[in-house]
Amino acid sequence: MLFVSLREEIDIRPVGRLQVVVLVLCILCSAVEGIDIIAMSIAAVPLSSEWQLSGATTGLLLSTGSVGMLLGAVLVAPSADRYGRRNLQLFCIALAGLGMVLSGVTSSSEFLMATRFLTGIGVGAVIPIQALIVGEFFPLHRRATAIGLCVVGTPAGSAIGGAAGEYLITHLGWRSIFFAGGAATLMVLIALFLLLPETPDFLDSSRKRRQHQPSRERLERFVRTTEPFDPSTMLRVSSNREHGRSADLSLKSIAMVILAIAFVMINGAYYMANLWLPQLLVLSGIGDGESVRAITFFSIGGAVGALLFSALTTRYSAFASCLGLLAGGIAAFIALSMVTASVATIYALSFVLGMCMLAVLGSLSVLALLLFRTEVRASAVGIGGGAGRIGAILSPLGVGLLVDAGWSSYSIFRLASVPAIVAFICIFAAGVLRSRKMPERRTKGSEPA
């Protein structure tokens, strides 16, 4: 049987060793983000005490990384459409690792801001690119499931980094957590360099096809020799292939605007809960210990949510799975605005909120792959991720202003459901656009055989 593209070769074969290796590598890349976020949060307390920093300066140190992540997603990640997914992922992981190591040797707040900004650029570009890599290596009917699993790396990295960071800072000082994070990041870089090939979709669509021909032939041989063609797989894939196809929309379509708004709204709602949940619960009369445990339940729920999204997409479309989980997140926000005394209920709602919102946050990259053509996917995910960072930065600041203005925690929880509702409408609209585009493609006879 003759196939004209690597994409077709991948689609008619079962998930094999190659995909497992790629998925593990990208989960490790996702964990780098979790380690980076928790490293600065943990180091901020002893650092500000040692350098006698003001609250404003400490706040700048905490936010500089987010600004770098925004620029990395918007300005750097789209270069993967030109230079390749693998090359840019290697570059950005190296940049993040270098920034972490330099953060450990800094001697001033200004220099630390610069190194945090550098780290943020690398991490901000890594996140959207890893979603592309996983999506383009897996068969279309398993794409959403695989990308959903990648999200598990972020809470896992935060959990490991938090546990290790507490020990390191106690025994070796705050600089040690940056050295350890940098070492872990550079180890991931070595693994990527040795084991990660360029993605099949990029090799098929690259304008420099002749230049990439040796890589294409090596990947094609590996796929054919390790995962022989199985006719039963073709039958199973053909019945599910519609869920994994891309609608091949362009960046200039209304879909990009809709998706960018969804990124902003979901990031705003998620980071509002992630950063403010303990304090809002304290303001509502919950004890300090209970509020800390609530955010722990929120984080555990996030890891479960990533697995749940992956499981749902094996039976339902990515759009339907995303909308169902987002409806659960909206309900959890509204329910938190009504609970006044039951700690057990608050724990349960915190778990559900984390489960739903992190799953939806991770699913947005899946939706971008299903909406846009290969040549602009990195740009689409990068623009969406950059827009999301705006929500992640502005939402916590906005909540702080509302708290200073005397808003109750219950009112803030109700308000937080609004961006989630807006995102629900946007994602539903994007799904409608895709469904309208798919029949058009089939009539043109452009689908894979």
Side-chain angles (χ1 to χ4, degrees), residues 355-429:
M355 178 183 71
C356 294
M357 296 311 295
L358 185 63
V360 173
L361 188 66
S363 72
L364 293 178
S365 295
V366 180
L367 305 188
L369 265 70
L370 294 175
L371 287 168
F372 299 97
R373 62 172 62 103
T374 303
E375 294 82 1
V376 298
R377 280 180 191 159
S379 299
V381 178
I383 292 170
R389 290 296 165 187
I390 296 173
I393 294 169
L394 295 182
S395 173
L397 293 175
V399 173
L401 294 175
L402 294 177
V403 170
D404 290 342
W407 281 50
S408 70
S409 59
Y410 305 111
S411 298
I412 293 173
F413 279 128
R414 280 194 294 272
L415 182 63
S417 67
V418 174
I421 293 171
V422 173
F424 186 97
I425 296 170
C426 289
I427 293 170
F428 180 82

Side-chain angles (χ1 to χ4, degrees), residues 34-123:
I35 293 172
D36 173 68
I37 292 171
I38 203 70
M40 191 62 223
S41 299
I42 293 175
V45 175
L47 170 65
S48 58
S49 176
E50 179 181 324
W51 287 357
Q52 298 182 337
L53 301 177
S54 66
T57 302
T58 302
L60 282 173
L61 285 173
L62 290 169
S63 62
T64 301
S66 295
V67 175
M69 292 172 78
L70 188 158
L71 295 178
V74 174
L75 301 179
V76 180
S79 299
D81 287 329
R82 179 176 181 181
Y83 299 109
R85 293 25 168 161
R86 178 182 186 273
N87 290 338
L88 206 66
Q89 188 78 333
L90 291 173
F91 171 77
C92 293
I93 286 288
L95 197 63
L98 177 62
M100 288 284 280
V101 172
L102 291 176
S103 295
V105 300
T106 183
S107 57
S108 69
S109 59
E110 293 79 11
F111 185 39
L112 183 55
M113 286 181 193
T115 60
R116 294 300 303 157
F117 181 76
L118 182 69
T119 306
I121 290 176
V123 173

Side-chain angles (χ1 to χ4, degrees), residues 209-287:
R209 188 157 181 157
R210 181 175 297 179
Q211 178 182 327
H212 296 299
Q213 189 62 24
S215 298
R216 190 180 187 281
E217 291 176 352
R218 284 195 299 271
L219 182 58
E220 189 174 42
R221 284 196 300 270
F222 183 84
V223 170
R224 288 179 173 176
T225 56
T226 58
E227 296 298 334
F229 168 69
D230 181 359
S232 65
T233 302
M234 173 66 92
L235 294 174
R236 187 168 61 252
V237 169
S238 63
S239 65
N240 293 287
R241 185 164 32 179
E242 193 69 26
H243 287 170
R245 284 185 179 133
S246 167
D248 278 0
L249 293 166
S250 72
L251 286 180
K252 296 181 180 180
S253 65
I254 188 64
M256 187 68 255
V257 177
I258 292 173
L259 191 67
I261 294 172
F263 266 98
V264 173
M265 296 296 113
I266 292 299
N267 274 270
Y270 173 78
Y271 280 97
M272 169 267 160
N274 191 31
L275 298 177
W276 273 100
L277 181 62
Q279 184 64 21
L280 290 176
L281 290 176
V282 169
L283 291 175
S284 66
I286 304 300

Side-chain angles (χ1 to χ4, degrees), residues 13-208:
R13 287 175 166 79
V15 172
R17 185 175 65 188
L18 174 65
Q19 284 89 357
V20 172
V21 169
V22 169
L23 180 60
V24 170
L25 289 173
C26 289
I27 289 175
L28 292 176
C29 291
S30 183
V32 166
E33 179 195 13
I35 293 172
D36 173 68
I37 292 171
I38 203 70
M40 191 62 223
S41 299
I42 293 175
V45 175
L47 170 65
S48 58
S49 176
E50 179 181 324
W51 287 357
Q52 298 182 337
L53 301 177
S54 66
T57 302
T58 302
L60 282 173
L61 285 173
L62 290 169
S63 62
T64 301
S66 295
V67 175
M69 292 172 78
L70 188 158
L71 295 178
V74 174
L75 301 179
V76 180
S79 299
D81 287 329
R82 179 176 181 181
Y83 299 109
R85 293 25 168 161
R86 178 182 186 273
N87 290 338
L88 206 66
Q89 188 78 333
L90 291 173
F91 171 77
C92 293
I93 286 288
L95 197 63
L98 177 62
M100 288 284 280
V101 172
L102 291 176
S103 295
V105 300
T106 183
S107 57
S108 69
S109 59
E110 293 79 11
F111 185 39
L112 183 55
M113 286 181 193
T115 60
R116 294 300 303 157
F117 181 76
L118 182 69
T119 306
I121 290 176
V123 173
V126 161
I127 298 167
I129 298 171
Q130 76 187 22
L132 288 177
I133 291 172
V134 171
E136 293 182 356
F137 265 109
F138 271 74
L140 291 177
H141 65 294
R142 290 288 180 260
R143 174 180 282 172
T145 303
I147 296 176
L149 287 173
C150 265
V151 183
V152 177
T154 301
S158 293
I160 295 170
E166 184 178 357
Y167 175 86
L168 290 170
I169 288 177
T170 301
H171 293 84
L172 300 174
W174 63 266
R175 297 177 187 274
S176 62
I177 190 170
F178 290 114
F179 291 137
T185 304
L186 295 176
M187 288 175 64
V188 172
L189 173 65
I190 294 172
L192 290 172
F193 180 79
L194 294 176
L195 300 174
L196 182 68
E198 185 53 84
T199 68
D201 290 42
F202 178 80
L203 293 175
D204 281 338
S205 65
S206 176
R207 296 176 182 176
K208 300 179 181 179

